[in-house]
Amino acid sequence: MTPLLTGKVALVTGGARGLGRAICRTFRAEGARVAFTYARNEDAKNELLRDLGADGLAARVGVCDVPGTEAFLRSIEDAFGPLDILVNNAAITQNLPLALLEEDDWDRVMDTNVKGTFLTSRVVLRGMMRRRKGVILNVGSLAGERAIEAPIHYCTSKAAIRGFTEALAKEVARHGIRVLDLAPGLLEDGLGRNLPEHRLAEYLKHCALGRVGTFEEIARLAAFLVSERNAYMSGATIVADGGV
Ligand SMILES: NC(=O)c1ccc[n+]([C@@H]2O[C@H](COP(=O)([O-])OP(=O)(O)OC[C@H]3O[C@@H](n4cnc5c(N)ncnc54)[C@H](OP(=O)(O)O)[C@@H]3O)[C@@H](O)[C@H]2O)c1
């Protein structure tokens, strides 16, 4: 099969670990050159950069750091050429009930998961609009789609990603840009780790496939969604949850 992303240039936020890392590796395997950001884990960043070789680039840039993102975008475009694909993947959560949530907890989760998606998108959109092409894939979650037991601030942030995706898709379609929301169910590791036992059991009970998803399964779907083979899809939320 012809690779899906030959010659494309992609930026993945929070790409050093978990789902982001699988997306970086899969995009590379599908022919893209891949840049990624991370928050603090230097070892994970170095390991992935080694895997990506000359077709990889990384920067320690927070998703709300606009000057840092602008500078990194300039480096990406100097090294690889114009950016074709942005994956807003970075997100955080905390397993806390509402009564124990502090205002700061709420702000941290909303800032990383929602404001960071807005700010990073705004930085890359200027160039995409000028070139009249581009794809933005926002990583949402089943937690933003259905009434499942999950932290309130995290669910709220992921529901916001759906609204952001739909509104932005309408606004930028005239500039030749597609925007999508990929909403996975529970995955093998990452933000889903340390889940209370009863919540994992509840998920598996309601999941038709009876298992959690793998990062690789979601990364392969992501590669298809941003590819030109998926040219007629925009504004959609794609739920990949094994049938919950
Ligand atoms: N895992 C699941 O079960 C699951 C299910 C549904 C949806 N999702 C979604 O999938 C996406 C990835 O989750 P994951 O499970 O792979 O998480 P993860 O393993 O915790 O990885 C998160 C990545 O984001 C980076 N990051 C965190 N805050 C950042 C910031 N402010 N700026 C830049 N990068 C930042 C981290 O950097 P460092 O490595 O430097 O810390 C890390 O590389 C998220 O959007 C999440 O909501 C996950």
Side-chain angles (χ1 to χ4, degrees):
M1 279 244 285
T2 327
L4 285 165
L5 304 175
T6 304
K8 300 290 183 193
V9 178
L11 167 60
V12 180
T13 66
R17 288 189 289 123
L19 177 60
R21 176 171 57 189
I23 291 175
C24 289
R25 285 184 170 147
T26 302
F27 281 19
R28 174 67 206 103
E30 293 290 350
R33 278 166 294 175
V34 183
F36 66 92
T37 61
Y38 64 105
R40 65 192 74 80
N41 192 325
E42 296 291 333
D43 290 347
K45 179 265 291 185
N46 290 333
E47 192 188 321
L48 179 58
L49 263 187
R50 263 197 306 278
D51 293 351
L52 297 175
D55 291 312
L57 212 57
R60 184 173 181 173
V61 180
V63 282
C64 291
D65 174 359
V66 172
T69 306
E70 287 172 338
F72 189 39
L73 181 62
R74 282 194 295 276
S75 311
I76 296 166
E77 301 201 331
D78 286 348
F80 296 154
L83 189 78
D84 300 294
I85 299 160
L86 167 66
V87 182
N88 283 309
N89 166 77
I92 56 171
T93 191
Q94 292 163 300
N95 278 320
L96 284 178
L98 181 122
L100 298 180
L101 279 188
E102 300 293 342
E103 193 176 335
D104 279 354
D105 298 325
W106 175 273
D107 287 345
R108 248 192 324 276
V109 167
M110 295 301 280
D111 278 0
T112 305
N113 301 8
V114 185
K115 192 174 172 186
T117 296
F118 152 60
L119 291 174
T120 309
S121 301
R122 199 180 59 181
V123 170
V124 310
L125 270 167
R126 293 187 197 113
M128 287 182 174
M129 286 164 79
R130 228 178 15 252
R131 295 186 293 276
R132 303 195 62 77
K133 66 174 188 154
V135 186
I136 295 181
L137 180 67
N138 301 314
V139 179
S141 169
L142 182 66
E145 302 302 311
R146 310 254 174 84
I148 60 173
E149 196 186 330
I152 302 297
H153 50 354
Y154 181 73
C155 290
T156 306
S157 74
K158 292 298 176 175
I161 291 300
R162 182 197 192 98
F164 177 83
T165 300
E166 291 176 358
L168 186 62
K170 283 275 185 205
E171 189 173 314
V172 298
R174 73 182 76 99
H175 302 288
I177 299 163
R178 298 191 297 117
V179 189
L180 293 166
D181 170 11
L182 170 54
L186 191 58
L187 303 179
E188 58 189 306
D189 199 352
L191 294 190
R193 69 183 165 271
N194 303 327
L195 207 64
E197 201 51 47
H198 75 277
R199 276 187 42 209
L200 175 61
E202 190 70 7
Y203 183 87
L204 295 178
K205 189 170 105 189
H206 293 288
C207 175
L209 296 183
R211 63 172 176 85
V212 299
T214 69
F215 290 138
E216 204 190 321
E217 286 167 328
I218 303 301
R220 281 202 300 259
L221 177 57
F224 171 73
L225 290 175
V226 300
S227 75
E228 281 167 12
R229 273 182 232 167
N230 188 37
Y232 192 52
M233 186 185 280
S234 193
T237 293
I238 301 91
V239 175
D241 64 357
V244 174

